[in-house]
Amino acid sequence: MRYRLAYRESILSVLCDEGLDGVAYDAMVEARSEVESKIAEDPFFGITYDPYPVSEDDPELVRMMCRASGIAGVGPMAGVAGAVAYCVADALISEGSSHAVV
């Protein structure tokens, strides 16, 4: 089944088993919430164009973005779309979807 999901600035196209659009939406909102919380805690995270250090106190999504920023030599927000997509796909697979494309 194909779903189009939108929440604030995030717009996703999701392909997964039927009936899991709620799972995808909830995962998208949760992922965005983690990023927004990090930005509220440290506004520099949201604006820097340089790699940002990984903190073990941060949620896995934020740590993933920080690791990617170090590898690519860019700010962590460059990886926000991929990190959110990964979290949504992971949630869909965890809920039993036979496939997940985000």
Side-chain angles (χ1 to χ4, degrees), residues 5-6 8-9 12 15 31 36 46 49-50 59 70 96:
L5 304 174
R8 296 192 185 168
E9 296 88 5
L12 298 165
L15 281 78
E36 291 168 1
Y49 291 112
D50 296 318

Side-chain angles (χ1 to χ4, degrees), residues 25-46:
Y25 184 81
D26 291 347
M28 176 179 59
V29 171
E30 175 64 24
R32 279 195 54 104
S33 173
E34 291 177 4
V35 173
E36 291 168 1
S37 292
K38 180 63 180 180
I39 293 169
E41 172 189 313
D42 181 5
F44 186 68
F45 177 83

Side-chain angles (χ1 to χ4, degrees), residues 5 10 14 18 20 29 31 34-35 38 44 47 49 53 59 64-65 83 85 89 91 99:
L5 304 174
S10 295
V14 179
E18 191 170 349
L20 294 175
V29 171
E34 291 177 4
V35 173
K38 180 63 180 180
F44 186 68
I47 62 169
Y49 291 112
M64 191 175 2
M65 291 170 60
H99 63 283

Side-chain angles (χ1 to χ4, degrees), residues 46-78:
I47 62 169
T48 184
Y49 291 112
D50 296 318
Y52 191 91
V54 177
S55 170
E56 294 306 315
D57 296 333
D58 289 329
E60 178 57 27
L61 169 82
V62 172
R63 292 194 310 257
M64 191 175 2
M65 291 170 60
C66 292
R67 286 191 298 269
S69 80
I71 293 167
V74 297
M77 293 302 288

